[in-house]
Amino acid sequence: QSALTQPASVSGSPGQSITISCTGTSSDVGGYNYVSWYQQHPGKAPKLMIYEVSNRPSGVSNRFSGSKSGNTASLTISGLQAEDEADYYCNSYTSSSPLYVFGTGTKVTVL
Amino acid sequence: QVQLQESGPGLVKPSQTLSLTCTVSGDSVSSGSYYWSWIRQPAGKGLEWIGRIYTSGSTNYNPSLKSRVTISVDTSKNQFSLKLSSVTAADTAVYYCARGAAWLQSGPFDYWGQGTLVTVSS
């Protein structure tokens, strides 16, 4: 199973909204509502931001939202802030093997 | 507060076995509510799921590593471990342990260790 496809980089100015895409197949992203998103600052462990497409864990800002259409999931960050500058990875649980496949990662830059 | 902490050698020789342990605090590996996973990340690259274990001892592995991986759990020490055999330079990476919610089909990883760098070199 190949890695999910994400854009290498996305940038935006403070206060703007940006969207990161995550494209898979009908065997993973398109087949189930099991996409999660992780934020990773340099030298740090990933942090869960969204699970099962659009659910936010407790403590995650409501500026982060998720959606899905067909084989592509999306993470939107609204009201972009300097602290949002990080790498973002999508992940899909699949019913086949491997159970989890990650995206290629997207570097978000706040201009 | 749940915490996970990886430990183990930072340098492993080629063809040898990489062994790491994840010590869990603030939760119990035998609670039955979570899966316990290992995930790795080569420098400058993306994340790769290695495998997971449930408190019952049931495991799932990434098929790309399955022939070389063993994940086990020690409930008496509240730890779970990773063994990766016949390592090569391609196994050099930061290794993370993580907790996954078992009550959700997708088992998202809600807590992670800080990660430990393992270098494979002679």
Side-chain angles (χ1 to χ4, degrees):
Chain A
Q1 193 123 9
S2 301
L4 308 176
T5 301
Q6 298 180 232
S9 62
V10 173
S11 62
S13 299
Q16 286 186 329
S17 294
I18 62 169
T19 298
I20 303 167
S21 62
C22 169
T23 302
T25 69
S26 57
S27 296
D28 39 62
V29 175
Y32 316 91
N33 289 326
Y34 293 156
V35 176
S36 54
W37 289 90
Y38 298 87
Q39 176 193 65
Q40 186 179 35
H41 286 108
K44 301 295 186 182
K47 174 187 176 183
L48 178 65
M49 304 303 285
I50 296 286
Y51 67 94
E52 295 193 341
V53 177
S54 59
N55 296 287
R56 273 188 313 275
S58 174
V60 172
S61 171
N62 59 10
R63 297 186 298 105
F64 292 85
S65 62
S67 62
K68 193 189 83 167
S69 177
N71 294 338
T72 299
S74 298
L75 173 71
T76 297
I77 309 174
S78 58
L80 198 61
Q81 299 179 0
E83 67 206 49
D84 300 331
E85 188 162 290
D87 293 326
Y88 291 81
Y89 292 92
C90 62
N91 173 267
S92 179
Y93 174 86
T94 80
S95 62
S96 61
S97 195
L99 285 180
Y100 297 98
V101 59
F102 283 95
T104 50
T106 298
K107 180 176 180 57
V108 168
T109 301
V110 181
L111 302 172
Chain B
Q1 175 74 358
V2 177
Q3 291 186 321
L4 289 77
Q5 178 69 56
E6 305 89 351
S7 60
L11 181 64
V12 181
K13 289 182 167 52
S15 79
Q16 294 191 341
T17 296
L18 178 161
S19 296
L20 295 175
T21 296
C22 182
T23 301
V24 179
S25 58
D27 193 5
S28 171
V29 296
S30 57
S31 71
S33 298
Y34 298 98
Y35 290 104
W36 305 94
S37 281
W38 287 97
I39 295 161
R40 70 180 183 179
Q41 184 175 35
K45 296 188 179 181
L47 299 160
E48 179 181 33
W49 177 74
I50 299 170
R52 72 179 186 183
I53 191 165
Y54 190 58
T55 184
S56 63
S58 170
T59 55
N60 302 99
Y61 298 131
N62 190 320
S64 68
L65 299 168
K66 187 174 183 178
S67 63
R68 301 193 290 130
V69 172
T70 302
I71 297 176
S72 59
V73 64
D74 186 337
T75 56
S76 66
K77 295 181 179 179
N78 214 31
Q79 298 174 334
F80 63 105
S81 299
L82 168 71
K83 291 188 185 299
L84 182 65
S85 64
S86 304
V87 297
T88 68
D91 295 309
T92 294
V94 173
Y95 285 75
Y96 295 100
C97 56
R99 187 183 83 167
W103 69 87
L104 294 171
Q105 179 69 21
S106 62
F109 310 114
D110 59 354
Y111 280 95
W112 296 61
Q114 65 185 24
T116 188
L117 174 63
V118 178
T119 301
V120 178
S121 175
S122 55

